[in-house]
């Protein structure tokens, strides 16, 4: 965190993400979001800063609710994807030979398929299911994490302290649990953050196409899908506000991921300098 907050980009990304999370958590609790059909599609005003939607609900509150749902689904999808990638990458580095080749070729096959198309196929089987959305995102993004973890684990496996542990009688499982997986955890942390904007985008796209969450459930994707008909009635704010929230979330989380990557590299450089000293 110290390295992350040293750069202006890291501070801006962290601050923007904190504001968005605070908005998503607090705003629905303090502002009324009940339906008032008489106030449907009202433009932004002092009473409703972002206007109202087609049901007369405060659009800013709806966007906050959608942001909360999209971030939760994205975080869960990123965690599942990273856990799967860590397991596959560590197993490939530990088992070696045919198992390594099989697991990596499987990852290459998944990466060769368009992620969004594959996600649409998975979600189309169970439309409206949160589990299906999480599975569609996780199953299409684990190969990148697996390759990173495998590369880090292979580097650690050839180190002297791993050789010493192997000579001391450590089993393959002990080497994997005590040395290979812990060495890959920093990369896994960065991977979680870097996967978040992809997961937010995929969830929003799936819901926009009508294959994600139900239209009655607030998410950035369902709000954008509803905005297609509202814009035709002149309610431009119904499209602009959710789109701005989606863009701000993607940029903030992406900037946080880049900041974590730079912080990790800086920490590695400092560690190497201390070793040489």
């Amino acid at each position: 965190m110290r390295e992350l907050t040293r750069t202006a980009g890291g501070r801006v990304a962290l601050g923007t993400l904190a504001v968005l999370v605070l908005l998503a958590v607090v705003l629905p609790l303090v502002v009324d979001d009940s339906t008032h059909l008489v106030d449907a599609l009202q433009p932004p005003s002092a009473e409703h800063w972002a206007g109202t939607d087609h049901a007369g609900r405060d659009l800013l509150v709806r966007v906050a609710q959608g942001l909360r749902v999209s971030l939760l689904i994205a975080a869960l999808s990123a965690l599942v994807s990273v856990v799967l990638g860590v397991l596959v990458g560590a197993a490939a580095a530990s088992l070696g030979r045919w198992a390594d080749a099989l697991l990596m070729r499987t990852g290459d096959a998944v990466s060769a398929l368009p992620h969004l198309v594959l996600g649409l196929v998975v979600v189309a089987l169970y439309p409206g299911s949160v589990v299906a959305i999480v599975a569609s995102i996780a199953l299409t993004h684990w190969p990148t994490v697996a390759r990173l973890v495998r590369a880090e684990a292979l580097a650690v496996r050839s180190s002297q302290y791993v050789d010493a542990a192997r000579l001391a009688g450590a089993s393959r499982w002990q080497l994997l649990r005590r040395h290979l997986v812990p060495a890959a955890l920093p990369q896994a942390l960065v991977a979680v953050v870097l996967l978040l904007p992809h997961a937010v985008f995929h969830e929003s796209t799936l819901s926009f196409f009508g294959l994600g969450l139900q239209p009655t459930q607030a998410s950035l994707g369902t709000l954008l899908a509803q905005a297609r008909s509202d814009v035709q009635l002149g309610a431009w704010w119904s499209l602009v506000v959710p789109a701005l929230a989606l863009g701000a979330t993607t940029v903030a989380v992406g900037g946080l991921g880049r900041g974590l990557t730079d912080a990790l590299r800086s920490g590695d450089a400092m560690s190497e300098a201390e070793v040489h000293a």
Side-chain angles (χ1 to χ4, degrees), residues 92 96-108 150:
R97 297 183 181 179
W98 65 269
D100 185 10
L102 177 62
L103 292 173
M104 289 299 99
R105 296 299 77 77
T106 302
D108 293 340
R150 174 181 175 272

Side-chain angles (χ1 to χ4, degrees), residues 33 35 42 53 60 65 85 104 157-158 162 180 198 207 265-266 273:
D33 65 335
T35 300
Q42 293 294 317
D53 65 358
L60 191 59
Q65 294 172 339
M104 289 299 99
R157 193 180 68 174
S158 60
V162 173
L180 301 186
H198 294 279
S207 297
R265 291 175 180 172
S266 177

Side-chain angles (χ1 to χ4, degrees), residues 135-166:
S136 68
I137 299 173
L139 293 176
T140 55
H141 288 79
W142 64 265
T144 303
V145 182
R147 283 192 289 268
L148 290 173
V149 172
R150 174 181 175 272
E152 187 70 23
L154 287 176
V156 173
R157 193 180 68 174
S158 60
S159 61
Q160 293 181 354
Y161 67 88
V162 173
D163 289 338
R166 187 182 295 110

Side-chain angles (χ1 to χ4, degrees), residues 176-199:
L176 182 66
R177 180 171 57 89
R178 295 182 180 179
H179 300 294
L180 301 186
V181 172
L185 287 182
Q187 296 291 341
L189 173 62
V190 176
V192 169
V193 180
L194 291 177
L195 280 176
L196 280 176
H198 294 279

